[in-house]
Amino acid sequence: MNVTTTRLRRLRQKNSLRKLVQENNITVNDLVMPIFVKDKLTTKVEIASMPGCFQLGLNELDDEVDEIVSLGVFAVILFGIPSEKDALGSASMGDNGIVQQAIRRIKKRAPDLLVISDVCFCEYTDHGHCGVVVKSDDGMCGDTVDNDTTLPLLAQQAVSHAKAGADIVAPSGMLDNMVAAIRLGLDEAGYTKTLILSYAVKYASSFYGPFREAAEGAPKSGDRKSYQMNPANAAIGLLEAKQDIEQGADMVMVKPGMPYLDMVQRIKQNFPGTPLAVYQVSGEYSMIKAAALQGFLDERETVLESVVCMKRSGADIIITYFAKQIAKYLTAR
Ligand code: PBG
């Protein structure tokens, strides 16, 4: 046995010492709270698969915003659920669309709250896909999203969010050249200051299951495998991030979080100057909640561990349904 005089456990013997040498910390500055807002809803409705998370009507937004602000969280990401859906997702881009109304309402209530808006079509189309769908007759992938007819519509949707007052638009459809199309659209409309947070490295994941209940955006047929990434792949994620950054993304995202922290690390190492977000998605929230409700896991400790590990991997921004809860934990410490 090769005994050394180094004893690494010396650094871990007391709480104070452990804290003194801790490399990463979570603060409220890292957190983004998702909000689901539903057209024509006049109450708040709990999402069955996400206990503690709600669909809100427009009138319920004020209380939610007040609570978020009072906890010190200063960024939200907004998802809209329209009352009418059609093949092109027309309800996603009008001035009186649910998200546009919600953005204006939030900005009126809390002008300093950063509003990120998810830019996608799956909540707005009757088929539930993230763009214009064409029938594929090769029998290989089933019906799929037509990339280039969707791009101008995405740009239009992004511009309508910017016009309503969104600070950051976040395209989540994983279409090729979506960032370029949106940047061009925003700039042409005069919104040169609006940022783009691209869901650059987004996987076709089963962990989105509960979100599809929350946002009512499940595909009616087929899946999203022809546009979202294959969970078995890593290297192509670097190309996805590189392209989006070159096209003008101000920030990029890896999604989901916990099973994909290797990707967070790779993207941070390769693009250190680009702020990196990670999305702890609905299924991650549900897993921890369900286990905690059963008494199988200690909720507070598990939640805090899950997010500090995201920081350790290289994330700068953490989007999580636990954001409010984490802010409470941090102030109670
Ligand atoms: C919309 C979108 C999805 C999520 C964020 N934006 C669903 C999907 O791509 O199927 C998932 C978020 C979550 O699971 O919490 N395209």
Side-chain angles (χ1 to χ4, degrees):
M1 191 174 60
N2 205 355
V3 180
T4 73
T5 53
T6 310
R7 285 179 179 269
L8 297 176
R9 284 185 55 193
R10 271 198 292 256
L11 291 167
R12 299 196 281 261
Q13 62 189 304
K14 287 181 178 185
N15 244 332
S16 50
L17 275 168
R18 286 198 300 272
K19 278 201 256 181
L20 189 67
V21 299
Q22 180 161 328
E23 296 172 36
N24 294 286
N25 283 291
I26 286 290
T27 78
V28 282
N29 300 353
D30 303 315
L31 303 172
V32 179
M33 181 69 201
I35 296 181
F36 297 106
V37 58
K38 183 170 175 171
D39 198 18
K40 307 225 157 87
L41 192 65
T42 51
T43 52
K44 47 193 265 188
V45 176
E46 190 163 26
I47 298 151
S49 53
M50 301 176 73
C53 288
F54 297 82
Q55 292 179 330
L56 306 177
L58 270 177
N59 290 331
E60 281 65 45
L61 271 179
D62 293 347
D63 283 352
E64 177 72 6
V65 162
D66 291 351
E67 189 191 3
I68 290 170
V69 170
S70 75
L71 289 167
V73 174
F74 54 79
V76 296
I77 183 164
L78 204 53
F79 297 94
I81 306 141
S83 44
E84 311 274 333
K85 305 195 184 208
D86 63 20
L88 292 178
S90 323
S92 68
M93 41 211 174
D95 284 345
N96 281 324
I98 181 62
V99 163
Q100 292 80 357
Q101 292 188 61
I103 295 170
R104 290 196 297 268
R105 178 120 184 188
I106 293 172
K107 280 291 174 185
K108 194 166 169 209
R109 187 87 180 176
D112 292 334
L113 189 62
L114 273 177
V115 176
I116 307 173
S117 65
D118 186 83
V119 175
C120 198
F121 284 101
C122 56
E123 293 108 277
Y124 300 90
T125 49
D126 49 14
H127 45 69
H129 281 286
C130 304
V132 180
V133 163
V134 288
K135 292 248 175 261
S136 132
D137 38 5
D138 59 11
M140 297 293 285
C141 326
D143 296 350
T144 189
V145 169
D146 188 62
N147 201 83
D148 293 4
T149 22
T150 304
L151 292 180
L153 299 173
L154 268 181
Q156 240 178 292
Q157 186 186 138
V159 168
S160 74
H161 293 179
K163 187 177 172 201
D167 300 285
I168 304 175
V169 292
S172 64
M174 285 300 284
L175 300 191
D176 288 326
N177 298 321
M178 64 183 186
V179 174
I182 289 173
R183 186 71 268 161
L184 188 71
L186 288 171
D187 289 351
E188 279 179 359
Y191 298 106
T192 54
K193 289 188 186 159
T194 308
L195 290 88
I196 300 177
L197 163 59
S198 178
Y199 286 71
V201 183
K202 175 170 173 180
Y203 286 88
S205 172
S206 309
F207 287 98
Y208 307 151
F211 176 93
R212 292 178 184 174
E213 179 200 339
E216 303 178 13
K220 291 277 167 333
S221 68
D223 52 43
R224 305 208 202 290
K225 290 182 181 156
S226 75
Y227 38 106
Q228 299 178 347
M229 282 175 57
N230 180 344
N233 291 346
I236 197 170
L238 296 175
L239 292 180
E240 293 282 358
K242 180 168 182 282
Q243 281 191 358
D244 285 1
I245 292 166
E246 284 170 358
Q247 288 174 25
D250 301 282
M251 315 165 173
V252 292
M253 189 196 300
V254 169
K255 180 182 166 201
M258 296 187 311
Y260 295 84
L261 294 185
D262 61 319
M263 296 308 297
V264 172
Q265 186 175 29
R266 278 177 224 241
I267 302 298
K268 194 65 206 172
Q269 278 171 354
N270 280 275
F271 308 101
T274 304
L276 177 59
V278 62
Y279 199 144
Q280 183 174 50
V281 301
S282 56
E284 301 176 66
Y285 175 89
S286 299
M287 282 196 306
I288 294 176
K289 267 288 170 196
L293 285 169
Q294 293 275 316
F296 295 163
L297 284 176
D298 179 313
E299 185 164 350
R300 181 182 184 281
E301 293 306 314
T302 310
V303 169
L304 288 171
E305 178 182 332
S306 71
V307 287
V308 86
C309 290
M310 293 173 178
K311 287 292 290 278
R312 193 197 64 230
S313 315
D316 303 298
I317 302 163
I318 298 170
I319 303 173
T320 173
Y321 302 95
F322 289 116
K324 287 193 293 180
Q325 225 174 298
I326 293 169
K328 286 179 201 159
Y329 294 149
L330 294 177
T331 43
R333 257 212 278 235

